Amino acid sequence: MKFFVDTADIADIRSLAETGLLDGVTTNPTLIAKSGRKILDVIAEICAVVPGPVSAEVAATDYDGIMREAKVLRAIAANVTIKVPLTPDGLRACKALSSDGAMVNVTLCFSAAQALLAAKAGATFISPFVGRLDDIGYDGMELISDIVQIYDNYPALTTEVLVASVRNPMHVIAAAKIGAHVATLPPAVLRSLYAHPLTDKGLATFMADWAKTGQTIA
Ligand code: E4P
């Protein structure tokens, strides 16, 4: 399973990239606003740090506007992935952009029918939002399961399921058990995957016992 980080905070991205386990980055207008920076600058900086796909979301909602903005975003770097909303205009743009060789992430997916349309439009990634579905009393992970099953039925579809709106490590484990291709995680959730109290306790014991030996490894 690939791990993307869902943030526009360059300091967080740099430190997570150093782990060697970061496969890509997703941003959205809310995250860009939170960064307080200009989208073109921040996306260029992220692309220089992370060689994998970096999703930059268009702000236009009409086809012509999406295509205009996509041209500007694509010019930033080869690893920019154009993020478009799951609307008729967004999917029309997805079809045109993917046919032209661009990577496209279709965002704001909340149903299996929407995911099927995105795959037919040639999306590189479909982003179903599990946390936001859970928030309103639906089972976000059931949607992931449905989409993976549907895509598996049609091997010609190459769209990857990018689990978005992830809130906790259990979302990550559930998505991995289903076989989703990618999860995009807030930095805190990505860091929490390392944590287990028995790891900390065991390491403290090993270090204390090692100190008693008076040895060094050199
Ligand atoms: C995905 O690409 C979105 O940027 C993100 O996962 C949305 O998450 P949220 O529901 O926590 O805002």
Side-chain angles (χ1 to χ4, degrees):
M1 180 182 228
K2 285 178 266 190
F3 287 154
F4 291 2
V5 65
D6 196 30
T7 184
D9 183 317
I10 192 72
D12 260 334
I13 292 167
R14 275 187 206 287
S15 80
L16 289 164
E18 281 171 5
T19 66
L21 302 180
L22 186 64
D23 301 298
V25 178
T26 53
T27 66
N28 63 37
T30 303
L31 295 170
I32 296 291
K34 203 169 152 195
S35 78
R37 301 185 56 201
K38 290 196 184 312
I39 183 169
L40 300 189
D41 294 343
V42 75
I43 295 295
E45 212 169 321
I46 296 170
C47 287
V49 173
V50 177
V54 174
S55 288
E57 187 160 341
V58 295
T61 54
D62 64 295
Y63 174 77
D64 290 334
I66 292 172
M67 294 303 288
R68 260 195 312 277
E69 291 184 0
K71 191 174 176 189
V72 175
L73 295 170
R74 285 178 76 182
I76 297 174
N79 56 330
V80 167
T81 300
I82 306 301
K83 201 170 175 190
V84 302
L86 208 154
T87 60
D89 280 38
L91 290 191
R92 185 180 160 205
C94 174
K95 180 80 182 167
L97 290 165
S98 59
S99 301
D100 192 42
M103 290 190 288
V104 184
N105 177 358
V106 177
T107 189
L108 292 168
C109 171
F110 294 95
S111 80
Q114 290 180 320
L116 192 49
L117 288 173
K120 285 178 69 68
T124 315
F125 302 105
I126 180 68
S127 289
F129 280 37
V130 294
R132 293 191 195 187
L133 278 170
D134 290 355
D135 289 346
I136 61 161
Y138 287 79
D139 183 350
M141 215 42 72
E142 195 178 327
L143 174 60
I144 301 302
S145 179
D146 286 349
I147 297 172
V148 168
Q149 185 188 342
I150 289 167
Y151 284 7
D152 280 352
N153 285 343
Y154 301 96
L157 298 179
T158 56
T159 304
E160 296 193 9
V161 179
L162 195 172
V163 182
S165 190
V166 168
R167 301 277 161 78
N168 55 58
M170 294 317 294
H171 275 154
V172 182
I173 299 309
K177 283 167 90 170
I178 291 165
H181 308 87
V182 192
T184 188
L185 315 177
V189 175
L190 189 39
R191 291 194 174 99
S192 76
L193 299 184
Y194 288 89
H196 197 287
L198 290 180
T199 304
D200 298 339
K201 190 179 169 199
L203 186 60
T205 304
F206 286 158
M207 291 304 96
D209 289 343
W210 178 253
K212 288 178 208 158
T213 72
Q215 298 181 50
T216 55
I217 302 172

